[in-house]
Amino acid sequence: MDSSAFRLDGKTALVTGAATGIGAAIAKALASAGASVVCHGNRRAADETVAAILQAGHAAHAAQGDLSDRSTAQRLVKETVDAFGHIDILINNAGAIRRAPAVEYSQKDWDFILEVNLSSVFALCQAAGAHMLEQGSGKIVNIASLLSFQGGITVPAYAASKGGVAQLTKALANEWSGRGVNVNAIAPGYIRTENTRALQEDATRNRQILERIPANRWGEADDIAGAAVFLCTPASAYIHGHVLAVDGGWLGR
């Protein structure tokens, strides 16, 4: 296989939730592989990610929008096409989590989590997919979760939304794989980000988590970025509807 099969030169990507953490790492990795990247921020702008990409000599554009607003998905895809002329890659990374026992879980929190984590993912896939189907090619990578497979505790809306992301990935792959569009997902394990800092700093929980992970370490955002780049390159052309666990072996334990 030629090394160009692992390159993204001439491609344009939209990465949601790219201000920090996994999204920022994916955006930078896509740019390093040759893609022009639109970096979305929800409440926090992705200006730092864009600046890092530009400083490295690659093309990037910052976009911002509230994914709990139904109009945001169409606008982000339009902004991507306006900025770079086309959209070839969509990374649905943005998400939210709110915790409470199921019997106490508010309708407001349920609606918000399902809107951001699942409905906006479908809206973005639909908007970007229309362009990709018209051009006969495209790559969509949805960020799922270990809770696409497991139920979790006191996160009923999050678990439901991420289970939905996994099934949506398969449903879209069934429709679009024969038309040149790959739709896959990544299910990250325990990744060392600001969102998991409390767990990392809790000595008991940190020990329990590490005891369960065969790789005996927390994942890094770059571990997810590497998988995302692969799923966006020509090297993954025959992969459709797959949910790739990048979890240090957690699910196999």
Side-chain angles (χ1 to χ4, degrees), residues 38-110:
V38 173
C39 303
H40 159 264
N42 200 12
R43 288 171 297 179
R44 176 176 175 179
D47 294 340
E48 291 182 14
T49 305
V50 169
I53 292 172
L54 293 175
Q55 187 173 14
H58 308 299
H61 172 83
Q64 196 162 3
D66 180 0
L67 288 174
S68 67
D69 181 339
R70 289 284 175 102
S71 67
T72 299
Q74 287 281 356
R75 180 175 59 77
L76 288 175
V77 171
K78 182 180 185 301
E79 190 168 344
T80 301
V81 174
D82 288 347
F84 294 113
H86 49 97
I87 181 168
D88 307 289
I89 296 164
L90 170 64
I91 309 290
N92 278 310
N93 168 74
I97 188 168
R98 291 182 179 176
R99 299 178 182 274
V103 74
E104 300 170 10
Y105 211 88
S106 72
Q107 188 66 51
K108 180 180 178 181
D109 283 351
W110 176 272

Side-chain angles (χ1 to χ4, degrees), residues 227-239:
V229 170
F230 167 67
L231 288 175
C232 292
T233 64
S236 63
Y238 201 55
I239 300 176

Side-chain angles (χ1 to χ4, degrees), residues 110-122:
W110 176 272
D111 291 345
F112 175 78
I113 296 300
L114 268 291
E115 186 67 40
V116 172
N117 290 6
L118 183 57
S119 294
S120 77
V121 170
F122 175 65

Side-chain angles (χ1 to χ4, degrees), residues 115-223:
E115 186 67 40
V116 172
N117 290 6
L118 183 57
S119 294
S120 77
V121 170
F122 175 65
L124 282 158
C125 287
Q126 192 176 49
H131 288 271
M132 294 174 181
L133 291 169
E134 184 176 354
Q135 66 195 19
S137 64
K139 301 274 192 172
I140 296 175
V141 179
N142 298 320
I143 302 303
S145 168
L146 291 180
L147 297 196
S148 297
F149 305 97
Q150 301 172 323
I153 300 173
T154 69
V155 286
Y158 185 84
S161 68
K162 292 300 185 177
V165 167
Q167 293 305 101
L168 175 62
T169 297
K170 298 169 190 177
L172 295 180
N174 288 341
E175 288 194 39
W176 297 349
S177 60
R179 300 174 65 185
V181 179
N182 297 70
V183 187
N184 292 291
I186 294 172
Y190 283 89
I191 307 300
R192 193 187 306 279
T193 65
E194 284 300 314
N195 288 343
T196 60
R197 180 174 293 279
L199 289 174
Q200 297 170 50
E201 294 179 348
D202 182 322
T204 300
R205 289 292 290 124
N206 184 64
R207 175 182 56 77
Q208 291 171 338
I209 289 167
L210 288 175
E211 286 175 348
R212 169 71 188 267
I213 301 173
N216 197 36
R217 69 171 178 88
W218 284 73
E220 304 294 339
D222 284 343
D223 292 320

